Structure formats: C-alpha cells, structure tokens
Amino acid sequence: MATLNLQHIDKIYDNNVQAVFDFNLDVKDGELIVLVGPSGCGKSTTLRMVAGLEDISAGKLLLDGRDITATPPKDRDMAMVFQSYALYGHMTIYENMAFSLTLRKENPNVIHKKVLAAAEILGLTSQLNKKPAQLSGGQRQRVAMGRSIVRNPKVFLFDEPLSNLDAKLRGATRREILLLHKRLKATMLYVTHDQTEALTLADRIVCMSMGHVQQVGTPLELYDSPANVFVASFIGLPPMNFYDVRVSGDKLVGEGFTVSLTPEEQHTLRGYNNKEITLGVRPENIVEGADVPVTVTTNENLGMNTLVHGYVGGNKAVKISAKLKGWRDYKVGDTASFTFNRKHFFDKETTNAIKGGEG
Ligand code: ADP
C-alpha cells in the first residue's frame, strides 16, 4: 500500500531558476503515473524531489499520509531506476541484484529468495551467473529494475529508463514494465519526454510545460480532450494540425477553406460567433471529402495508412498532415480534397480548450 500526495510543490534552484510551480497530484495506491513533457519542463526535478534527491522549496510531500517532505532519501522506501543503469561490471547479475540487500546485511537466505523471485519476474533466471557485459542492453535494463524489485519499495521511480535503448528494444521493454506493474501492483512514477511511452504505459498522465502542470488525466482524456493547445500539440503523433479560423454561424472559415459545424459543435461555440478561434484537427481525423482543398507535397505509404502532407487552399504557409486509411498514391502537386471528421476548438487568447459546458 502506497499513496503519494504532492501538495503545492515548488522547486527553485540555488541559481534562482524556478523549475517547478505549484505541482499538485494525488497518486493512488498501485497507480502508474507518467510525467511527460519536453526537455527542461521540470519532470526530473519533480521525480527527484519525490525521491528526496532534491530539496522541496515549498509545499508538502506525503507518503501514505505521512509527511516526508524533509525525510532523507534512504528512509523514503522508494527505488529509482535511471536511464544509465550503471551495473557493477565485475559482479555477476546475481550479485548486482543482491547488492543493496547485502549492504543492508540482510539474511543470505532471504537475499537468495528475493533475487530468485525478482529474476523470475524479469525472465533473468538463466542469466544470474553472467556478467553485465554478456547481456544485451534490454537485459541490463531489466537487471537495473531487478535491483529495485528486491528492495520491495513502496514506490518505484523511473527516470527515462528506456532512452538508452534502440527503438525495437524500447517497445519490448515498455511492455515488460507494463507487465511488471501489473504483477507487482506497485505505485510507480515514470518520467519520459516520449508521448508514446506516456500513452501506452500510464494509468494517468501528468503533462508539463515550463514547470507548470498543463493537464492530469487518463491517456484517453489527454488524447481526446486536451486541456489546451500545448497538450493537444504534445500528445498524438503525427501532431495535431492547427488553424486560425472564424466562427460564422454554422461554419468555420479558415484561410482557403470552409467547414461546416454540427449542431453540437455550434452549441460548443455559441459564445464565439464572428470570433477567431484556433481549430485543431488530428491527422487521423482527416478523411477525403469536399471541404478542404489540399496541394500534396508528400505521400508516405505506411501499409495500413497513408500519411499525406501538403498545404491548404494554394497557400504554402497553411500546412496540413493527414493520416488516411488504406493505401493512397497521391503524387507531388496533386490536388486532393479533405474534410475533418473530428474537430478541437481552442480560445485564441488563453489557448484553453473551448468546452461546451452548460446552458
Ligand atoms: P526535464 O526533466 O523535464 O528535462 P529538469 O527537471 O531536468 O527538466 O529541468 C527543469 C529546469 O530546471 C530546466 O530549466 C533546467 O535547466 C533546470 N535545472 C535542472 N537541474 C538544475 C540544477 N541542478 N540547477 C539549476 N537549474 C537546474
């Protein structure tokens, strides 16, 4: 059982750089939370404050309701897995995994049991007598996780654990972490700049930008109802297209295109008639249709889909990326015609999503 509460946490470094502003999060027991955002947005700083590796400048951190804001790292009952998994090269895999317990002078029988159990979970049983150099990168990353598992911590902290692995191994190791989470039912905080990792791993995602939490929610909530333009552009690949448009009754008028609004969309936008808003359209929500004239610049067949890039209404500055179902063979310079089957609306000034709300 491990819950975490981060309450109004700030981090100001000694050089007066404020890396984290008013971070609030209640992590439920057994939840896998992914902190995601671009480099420098304050993810690692937040994780390191939870681990106790950085002081908390203001605010409170609770573990199972107990205030651990000032508790030294070694007394926090948390284990951190880093991107550089620095194993001891002269030790066997077994010794590497047993190391922290040996240091603690645990009973050798207990150590043996714990190492074997962790090796079993991670599929490392047959590797225990090898040295790290004899293992693949993915296996070494698993050993690093094994070192944490044997300690049976209350909370697992992962700092970009997959960023040193190649793309194929990243996918496989990501699925292993997911299985590990299911098996251990442990509370986990996971930091990554990779939105795919966030979407595939998280129970809930915390999306950050410039030290501020932008949105907290399930992967589907962030994908389907992004709170603002930042989250909308960060989550989803290829990224969402954005257009300046004017609301005109039952239509949206953009540069070189006009699309109609459904009754629900009109309702959502009822406060914005004759105003400029930002329209967001995911590439996968674009289909061939009659509304948006596009000049094709590239046509990439991905098998199940075709990624078509181009520009709208003859204006090279108004770019569009569409992920069409099936195989297409547009040539460079072809004119295509698309329509949007799902639209996202954002206030131009606040950049916040325009919600339908009541009334
Ligand atoms: P992320 O993990 O999202 O890439 P970090 O938490 O590492 O971001 O960094 C957040 C901000 O804090 C950045 O502007 C970074 O330059 C700054 N920062 C990180 N560590 C320190 C430090 N030890 N001293 C001063 N500033 C730091």
Side-chain angles (χ1 to χ4, degrees):
M1 157 84 190
T3 63
L4 272 179
N5 307 92
L6 291 83
Q7 301 178 341
H8 303 292
I9 289 182
D10 287 339
K11 175 65 187 183
I12 303 166
Y13 281 109
D14 292 341
N15 58 359
N16 277 330
V17 170
Q18 181 152 3
V20 177
F21 298 78
D22 195 28
F23 192 108
N24 290 286
L25 182 69
D26 293 325
V27 185
K28 296 180 208 117
D29 181 42
E31 206 174 13
L32 200 173
I33 296 280
V34 177
L35 305 185
V36 73
S39 177
C41 73
K43 313 177 291 286
S44 303
T45 300
T46 305
L47 195 75
R48 292 168 62 79
M49 285 193 286
V50 172
L53 302 174
E54 289 290 349
D55 291 337
I56 292 171
S57 309
K60 256 194 204 173
L61 175 65
L62 310 185
L63 174 63
D64 288 335
R66 192 167 54 88
D67 190 335
I68 59 160
T69 311
T71 305
K74 65 175 178 32
D75 300 327
R76 290 195 181 195
D77 213 355
M78 299 185 189
M80 188 134 161
V81 181
F82 295 94
Q83 60 178 259
S84 56
Y85 29 77
L87 304 177
Y88 298 107
H90 62 287
M91 292 184 188
T92 62
I93 299 311
Y94 183 101
E95 288 162 344
N96 265 285
M97 283 170 60
F99 187 66
S100 68
L101 303 179
T102 314
L103 268 190
R104 274 200 234 159
K105 303 207 167 34
E106 280 235 32
N107 177 320
N109 291 327
V110 174
I111 296 180
H112 190 65
K113 265 195 198 146
K114 287 187 171 170
V115 172
L116 290 191
E120 172 73 31
I121 288 174
L122 294 165
L124 289 169
T125 309
S126 60
Q127 314 294 326
L128 287 172
N129 293 322
K130 292 188 181 165
K131 297 278 175 63
Q134 295 168 275
L135 267 51
S136 69
Q139 288 172 322
R140 272 182 256 167
Q141 184 54 269
R142 272 189 267 160
V143 177
M145 289 190 252
R147 284 195 304 202
S148 306
I149 294 171
V150 295
R151 291 171 49 198
N152 194 25
K154 285 196 163 210
V155 180
F156 285 85
L157 305 173
F158 294 91
D159 193 358
E160 305 248 4
L162 308 185
S163 52
N164 284 341
L165 306 178
D166 65 46
K168 199 168 162 195
L169 211 49
R170 251 199 324 266
T173 313
R174 198 172 71 210
R175 288 186 280 281
E176 278 170 17
I177 292 176
L178 209 50
L179 287 175
L180 187 68
H181 177 243
K182 291 223 159 70
R183 266 184 101 149
L184 299 175
K185 298 188 175 61
T187 306
M188 296 181 170
L189 238 58
Y190 185 108
V191 159
T192 180
H193 63 274
D194 182 327
Q195 60 92 37
T196 309
E197 271 176 45
L199 285 174
T200 51
L201 280 172
D203 291 322
R204 282 190 301 155
I205 297 174
V206 178
C207 186
M208 297 180 73
S209 167
M210 299 197 295
H212 295 269
V213 172
Q214 302 294 315
Q215 189 172 6
V216 180
T218 64
L220 185 60
E221 281 164 355
L222 269 75
Y223 175 79
D224 215 36
S225 319
N228 54 36
V229 168
F230 177 83
V231 177
S233 62
F234 193 80
I235 300 287
L237 202 70
M240 192 181 273
N241 300 284
F242 294 99
Y243 304 102
D244 292 333
V245 296
R246 192 167 44 80
V247 183
S248 180
D250 61 354
K251 301 234 171 339
L252 282 183
V253 183
E255 216 183 308
F257 70 94
T258 300
V259 288
S260 28
L261 293 166
T262 66
E264 295 89 75
E265 289 169 341
Q266 288 173 53
H267 185 73
T268 303
L269 293 174
R270 65 200 176 284
Y272 286 84
N273 200 21
N274 291 318
K275 291 200 178 124
E276 295 258 323
I277 62 163
T278 303
L279 166 67
V281 186
R282 294 206 182 277
E284 56 272 35
N285 294 144
I286 298 177
V287 293
E288 283 151 320
D291 302 322
V292 185
V294 171
T295 310
V296 175
T297 51
T298 58
N299 181 98
E300 299 171 316
N301 281 305
L302 305 173
M304 295 220 335
N305 308 97
T306 305
L307 206 52
V308 177
H309 297 281
Y311 51 91
V312 176
N315 183 345
K316 287 189 176 162
V318 186
K319 300 237 177 341
I320 187 164
S321 303
K323 192 173 183 180
L324 304 175
K325 287 218 165 61
W327 195 274
R328 294 289 184 285
D329 278 313
Y330 289 108
K331 304 279 176 285
V332 178
D334 275 359
T335 22
S337 187
F338 295 157
T339 194
F340 305 146
N341 63 9
R342 167 102 170 83
K343 309 180 195 79
H344 298 266
F345 308 122
F346 303 93
D347 187 286
K348 254 192 109 157
E349 266 157 42
T350 64
T351 81
N352 289 332
I354 299 171
K355 300 228 188 321
E358 306 298 312

